[in-house]
Structures are given as C-alpha cells and as structure tokens.
Amino acid sequence: AAITVNAVIHLLRLKSQPTPVVMLRNCVTRDGASRLAEALRLYGKRADVQVLELPYNPQMDAASIRAIVGVILQEEMALEELDFSYNNHLGDAVVEAVQPLFDKKSSRLSHLKLVDCGLKISSLSLLAKAAPKLRLQTLHLSGNGLAGAGEAISELLEAPVLEELHLAWCDLEVEDVEKIAEQLPYTSLKSLQLACNGIRKQGLQALADNLPNCQIDELGLEGNELQAGDLGCLGTAWVQRPFSRLRLQGNKMTQDEIASFIRTLRSIN
C-alpha cells in the first residue's frame, strides 16, 4: 500500500520506537505539508526523525517547505538530511525556503538533496552567499540546468566541511569546469560527480591540473565526451596523487580501453 501523509502522521503519533526516516512521494500537498509539519512539531523529537525525504511531490510548494523548515528550527530537531529532489516546479523558492537552516547554529542539517528542482544560477548564488556558514557535508544538485554557474559553484565550494558534491546532468560549460577545478585545492571536497556534462579534453585537463593538490578521492566522469587519447593528463595526475575511485563508463571509449587505463594506473602504484 502507498504511504500517505495521514499514515505517517499516525505512525509518528502512535509508535513508541524511533522513526529515523520519513519518506513521502507524490502525495504531499500544501495542506498535507502543514499537517506533516504539525505532526513533526508534536512527535518529531520523540520519534528522533533524522531524515526527511519528499521527492516527486508536484503539489508541494514553497509555503509547504517553509512550514516544515519552521518546525525543524522551532523544535531544534536533530534532522540531518533533507531531500526535495525531483520537484522541478520549485526553482529558486526551494533554496530560499531552506535558507534559514543555514543560518541557525543549532541546525544539524548536513545532507541536502535538490536533484532536478529547477535550480538556476540565481539559486546557486543564494547557496554561495551562505557558503562560509554552511555545515553541509553532502550536496546533490544534479539534473539542474547550471550552464554558466561556474563562478557561483566555485564560491559554494568555500563551504568549510563540504565533502561530496553532485553535479551530473547540469549542462556545465568548459569554463564552469575550469572554475570548479581551480577551486579544488582550496576545498574540503573528497567526492566530485560530473557525469553527463559533455566534458572533453580541455575540461579534463583543468581537473587533472588540480587533482594532485586537492583531497578528491572519488571522481565521477561517466557519460561525457572523453576519448581514450584524452586520459594521459589524468594518468599523470594520478601518479602524483593516487585516488581510490574513478568512473569513466559511457564516454567515447570502449570498456576494454577503460579497463586497460585502470590496469595501467594500478600497475604504477
């Protein structure tokens, strides 16, 4: 049976054991969000809700999110993860709605997922302004059209404890990739996901130039426009500072070429 807002409210009210994860999809309206917020106010701390996932809710609006965020702040809930992904209608409003969580010192929010939320450069600028006080460790921004947002993303990377950034399917331009790459040595980032952004040799070169001097240990480059002959710079970077995980599937090279490159890297170290 499908989980509904009413079902979750009754669960929070009646269950005596912790309910660390609440997930609702395709059922949250503005009214439902208000009732969910009230349930979180009454029972959220007792239920020890730590993760709230609300993807695919086309009837949920910015007012809905503000109501939920207001309760999280008011009750000082120990909520660590918010997921509003696949709500493309929200746009900038979703960032504006969650922004109070960035300002509150008592907020424990460390993981934020905004995949395919209709974000634009203006949304990234809002996040970038908050970067110095962000306590996010993981930020998912994949599936948003962020062409030309390289400067804002590089400013966002100033977030002091950000370790994982997802930017797959973001229509990034080569200049964006270059600006991100140049900022890497000055960040705490350990995982960078750049799949399906049309990255070619120039963008890869920019990343490779900065990989030896940063903390990246996982690099996702799947589904781009890379060829086997482009990988030399990446090999040179890896020799200077090996890292654990590299994904190249779906580029303009065969699986055998990828396997050969990985074997060569492993044989060097």
Side-chain angles (χ1 to χ4, degrees):
I3 301 297
T4 65
V5 172
N6 284 338
V8 167
I9 291 173
H10 288 306
L11 178 69
L12 293 175
R13 179 169 61 86
L14 298 173
K15 192 175 179 183
S16 58
Q17 296 300 315
T19 307
V21 179
V22 171
M23 194 276 202
L24 289 163
R25 60 188 294 169
N26 204 33
C27 65
V28 181
T29 62
R30 177 186 282 199
D31 177 66
S34 297
R35 289 186 288 114
L36 177 62
E38 179 63 10
L40 290 172
R41 185 184 71 80
L42 295 171
Y43 318 116
K45 290 184 77 171
R46 185 188 70 188
D48 192 25
V49 177
Q50 298 173 24
V51 178
L52 181 59
E53 301 179 355
L54 300 175
Y56 297 103
N57 283 291
Q59 297 185 65
M60 182 176 66
D61 59 11
S64 306
I65 298 173
R66 286 196 297 270
I68 292 168
V69 168
V71 168
I72 294 170
L73 291 171
Q74 180 183 345
E75 300 300 317
E76 297 189 346
M77 292 175 59
L79 194 135
E80 298 177 0
E81 180 176 325
L82 277 174
D83 185 357
F84 295 118
S85 297
Y86 305 106
N87 289 297
N88 189 266
H89 60 288
L90 291 173
D92 289 355
V94 66
V95 177
E96 294 169 354
V98 300
Q99 196 161 9
L101 289 169
F102 306 152
D103 300 328
K104 188 79 169 180
K105 287 186 177 181
S106 61
S107 172
R108 299 187 186 181
L109 183 67
S110 56
H111 306 281
L112 180 61
K113 297 180 179 180
L114 301 175
V115 177
D116 190 16
C117 277
L119 304 185
K120 303 298 181 186
I121 295 177
S122 50
S123 310
L124 268 293
S125 296
L126 289 173
L127 286 169
K129 288 179 182 178
K133 52 191 173 184
L134 279 181
R135 288 176 291 279
L136 293 177
Q137 296 175 17
T138 303
L139 181 59
H140 290 246
L141 298 174
S142 297
N144 294 288
L146 300 178
E151 188 65 38
I153 296 171
S154 65
E155 293 176 9
L156 175 59
L157 288 175
E158 295 177 12
V161 295
L162 185 63
E163 295 185 351
E164 185 175 339
L165 180 61
H166 292 249
L167 292 168
W169 292 99
C170 284
D171 299 324
L172 297 179
E173 299 172 347
V174 64
E175 293 82 5
D176 300 325
V177 176
E178 289 174 338
K179 288 176 181 177
I180 293 168
E182 290 167 3
Q183 188 66 22
L184 289 179
Y186 311 103
T187 74
S188 55
L189 212 61
K190 296 178 181 177
S191 174
L192 178 61
Q193 306 304 320
L194 294 170
C196 303
N197 278 295
I199 295 173
R200 298 175 184 269
K201 184 175 182 178
Q202 184 178 345
L204 181 63
Q205 182 69 61
L207 291 166
D209 287 346
N210 291 280
L211 283 173
N213 301 312
C214 71
Q215 300 182 53
I216 292 293
D217 195 50
E218 180 177 355
L219 181 61
L221 293 169
E222 312 96 306
N224 282 294
E225 301 293 321
L226 299 171
Q227 302 180 37
D230 300 333
L231 300 180
C233 61
L234 192 57
T236 300
W238 195 90
V239 168
Q240 295 179 61
R241 188 187 66 82
F243 49 94
S244 299
R245 292 179 292 280
L246 172 65
R247 291 193 290 277
L248 292 166
Q249 292 77 11
N251 280 280
K252 292 186 174 181
M253 61 188 88
T254 67
Q255 191 60 40
D256 286 344
E257 287 174 322
I258 295 173
S260 176
F261 178 68
I262 297 300
R263 283 196 302 270
T264 300
L265 294 183
R266 288 174 177 169
S267 69
I268 294 172
N269 191 35

